[in-house]
Each structure stands twice: as C-alpha cells, then as structure tokens.
Amino acid sequence: MALPQDTIDVLARIVDRAAVKAEPITMLTEAHPEMTIEDAYEIQRTSMERRFERGEVLVGMKMGLTSQAKMDQMGVHNPIYGHLTDAMQRTSGDTIVREEHCHPRVEPEIAFVLGADLQGPTTPQKAMESVSGICGAIEVIDSRYKDFKFTLVDVVADNASSTRFVLGDMVLPPAEVDGLGNLGMVFSINGEVKATGSSAAILDHPARSLAALANMLAERGERLEAGQIVLAGGATKAFHVEPGDHVELEVDGLGSTALFVA
Ligand code: OOG
Ligand code: MG
C-alpha cells in the first residue's frame, strides 16, 4: 500500500460523509495520485466499518463494471466489487428518495442468493454450487464524485458507487432457471423501454461474475457467506432517474422488479 493508515482513515471518513450527506466530492486521487488499488479497497473496507458502527449490517456484495456497456459508459475497464448493507436494500415496488443521493442512476442486474459459503479460488461452475437462488435486480448507483466521473481507484474507494438495490420477488433455485447465461432483460422507465439486453453481457455469463468476485475476495483473505446476496453487475449502461420515475426490469423466466423514485 502507498498510503499510511491515518490517511486511509481520513479518506474513508470523507467518502462516508459524502454518502451520508449526498454531497459530491472531488476525486480522492486528485490529492493522492499515488493511491493504489489496494489502498482503495482498504478505504472501502474502512468506510464500511463506519457504517457497521452506525448499525448497518452486511447483507452481500456487488460486482461492478462487468459488462462492456458499463465499462464504456464509465471509461473504467476493470471489474470491481463493493459491499451491500441492509440499509441499501429495498423491496420490489418500494420508493427511493432522490434527495438522499447525489445523482442516482439505475441499472438492470442479475442477483444470486448464496445457500452455502463460497471461498475462492473457484470456477464459475463450482461457484454455482453455492447458489440457492437467482433473481432479477435493479441496482441504484450513486457515485459520490462530482459529475459521476472517477478513476478505477476512486470508484473502488467509494464502495463501487453502491447506494440502493432491490431484488425481484421471484427467486428461483438454479435448477429452475433455464439458460442463465443468456436471459433476455428489458429495462424500462415510465413505461418506455430504455434498454434491452441479455445476462450474457455480464462477463459472458453471470456465474463468471460470481466466481470472479470469490476470487478477488480470496486474494484479500475474504470469502462470501451463506445467506449473502451477490449482484453480478449491470447488463446495460445505467440511466439517471428523477422524482416521479417508475423503473421496471423484466427478466426472462424471472418476472419483473420495480422501483419508484420520489
Ligand atoms: C460503478 C459501479 C458499477 C455495475 O453494475 O457495473 C456497477 C459505477 O458505474 O458507478 O455497479
Ligand atoms: Mg451495478
């Protein structure tokens, strides 16, 4: 790591505060160009500690930048991960509040629910043995950086822009999901189709995203645990939302998931 622990602590406090206050900040790398990816994950972890101290509970992890559409939109071409807490989770049909975020965007995803611990190194096929449920999901992302612009290390430090997510009500065991590697996805806002895509956009198969996550965590001596949720990453680019919007995702065989914005 390039940064000393006290700087990590200060930067974790800065990203956490920006999230709590919904006030955009300048990229951390502007003042700390020497920041490494390991520093960034350490800042992310330290910022999560602050959330846990406030009573939030870890419910899962997310992968980000796992599709070409997302990488191209953000100009960052490496998959990353972030932490998900109970305070970020909503139920299909719930409403999120625009003002609680800096500049929220929504994206269509596939999510896994784990029935067993998952420790890397692993393969996509082996990783799927830990999965008990699969569903559609809408993720709300909200970079804490001005203009939603960041470098790889900045977005990692900012917990991969995590802010809210909602899982579809239809959570099926893997054996009941036909063709997980190529499920049609239709993403609409206010009844207008914004994007159509396929789960194949997510690293060619969402199971590859799950395995990649387990492997990235294993490099840091961490693992996924039974009961956790994993978001595999946006299958299309993300779309900004405003109060009054109604967001809906339909996934072949997995029903529809909805989110309202107030
Ligand atoms: C980073 C998070 C990306 C995804 O699904 O690709 C992400 C961002 O785009 O702000 O969640
Ligand atoms: Mg996402």
Side-chain angles (χ1 to χ4, degrees), residues 62-66 70 107-109 139-141 160 231-235:
K62 64 168 272 186
M63 283 292 273
L65 307 175
T66 47
K70 282 289 308 180
E107 50 192 22
E109 306 220 2
E139 187 184 18
V140 186
I141 50 170
L231 298 182

Side-chain angles (χ1 to χ4, degrees), residues 112 122-125 127-128 180-181 199 202-213 232:
F112 297 107
T122 188
T123 62
Q125 217 171 357
M128 284 305 294
L180 173 62
S199 58
I202 304 162
L203 290 180
D204 291 332
H205 193 302
R208 289 186 60 183
S209 178
L210 178 63
L213 172 60

Side-chain angles (χ1 to χ4, degrees), residues 235-250:
T236 73
K237 70 172 195 160
F239 298 89
H240 87 264
V241 283
E242 292 296 339
D245 283 349
H246 169 218
V247 184
E248 190 174 3
L249 169 66
E250 273 187 61

